[in-house]
Amino acid sequence: MLDFIYYPVSWILWVWHKVFGSVLGADNGFAWALSVMFLVFTLRAILYKPFVKQVRTTRQMQELQPQIKALQKKYSKDRQRMALEMQKLQKEHGFNPIMGCLPVLLQAPVFIGLFHVLRSFNRTGSGMGQLGLTPEQNAAIGNYAFSPEDVQSFLSARLFGAPISAAITTPQAQLEAFGLYGTVPTVLNIAVVAIPLMVIASVATHFNSRASVARQSAAAAANPQSAIMNKLALWVFPLGVLVGGPFLMIAILLYWVSNNIWTYAQQHLVFRRIDAEEESKKQAVIERRADNAPKPGARPKLDKKKTSAQQPSPAVDAESEDAGSTDDTDSGQSTDEGAAGPRPKPKPRPAANRPKSNKRKRR
């Protein structure tokens, strides 16, 4: 039913086994362990861009929190209107909440596919999902992209004496299937390899969660729902790895450790890059403001309207010239003044509104 997941996962694992098997040997346990680890690295590299989108979406969500809270407060009694306004806000800012959980959604089928492919190397069990084959039948049937010879190579491989498809709780009947291609592993052999991997996976999960929580804003951390999720990520999920570790194959524990190693490195790389981008944007805004601000000691530029209002119009200049010529004529005709009396002079204009004429400048 999920062959569209199982086949791609098995093909990637097959390629890496051919690479490391050509160097270390096809039946070498480290070749199979490295194949599983690089399968994880390959899938995480494919999911790199969705992870970056997730980080940007989370940052954007934190920036929109004040507006979201305002909408929730404003439309607390109208759920339908609140949902419409939320969609409008998300559309205006290009915010897509699905991108925040896309990497997790994509990793889930990969984990299921890897678990099923690794489990299908040994189909001698009779439990749920097992075929109940005999060891001879199991070794003669291929496993998706792997041929029967590859299945036998996997059954022959040991990592410090333990098959990587075995778990601490694997029934003894299933462990007998490994006896055709080597010694039958014991629970102690498996525990010696599985328990250190469980501890490393648990500690790595805790530190990755701590790094994510440390990057949250104060407002996001104060949210009750975020506080609950932070406690789950910091303590419950790592504890779940320890509790569920005995039921997981060694290969799945390798997957968990490899996934955490990649996550730790990728988080620091992506967050450093995004922080540098945001810092450069802030510097660009500061530089633009500095360029637009007046320089020290420079007079601010007036607007065009103010400048045109202060310039005298041609009509006013002509009127002032006529007034000046009338004054010159009156000063030369003393007889008229004596006969008709002094002519009343026009009222002086205020100094701020009086236009400056060219004649007065010459006088």
Side-chain angles (χ1 to χ4, degrees), residues 25-66:
D27 299 343
N28 190 284
F30 287 98
W32 282 101
L34 288 171
S35 301
V36 172
M37 295 179 70
F38 275 80
L39 164 67
V40 176
F41 296 156
T42 303
L43 296 171
R44 289 301 304 271
I46 294 171
L47 297 176
Y48 175 77
K49 286 189 176 180
F51 177 80
V52 175
K53 286 280 187 182
Q54 178 193 18
V55 174
R56 295 187 187 279
T57 301
T58 305
R59 290 283 183 96
Q60 196 175 15
M61 185 70 178
Q62 293 176 359
E63 293 174 359
L64 294 178
Q65 276 300 317

Side-chain angles (χ1 to χ4, degrees), residues 208-287:
N208 278 331
S209 301
R210 175 171 287 187
S212 298
V213 171
R215 292 186 180 95
Q216 291 181 354
S217 62
N223 190 330
Q225 295 179 352
S226 298
I228 294 173
M229 289 303 300
N230 290 342
K231 288 181 180 179
L232 289 174
L234 285 171
W235 306 109
V236 177
F237 294 162
L239 184 61
V241 178
L242 286 176
V243 174
F247 301 93
L248 299 176
M249 308 175 192
I250 291 175
I252 297 298
L253 294 174
L254 285 170
Y255 166 89
W256 207 281
V257 172
S258 307
N259 193 54
N260 278 284
I261 291 172
W262 181 278
T263 301
Y264 189 81
Q266 184 174 260
Q267 275 186 350
H268 284 73
L269 177 66
V270 172
F271 279 105
R272 186 180 300 174
R273 175 184 167 188
I274 292 177
D275 291 340
E277 289 177 0
E278 292 182 353
E279 186 64 26
S280 63
K281 289 180 182 178
K282 290 179 182 178
Q283 290 295 330
V285 171
I286 293 172
E287 289 176 2

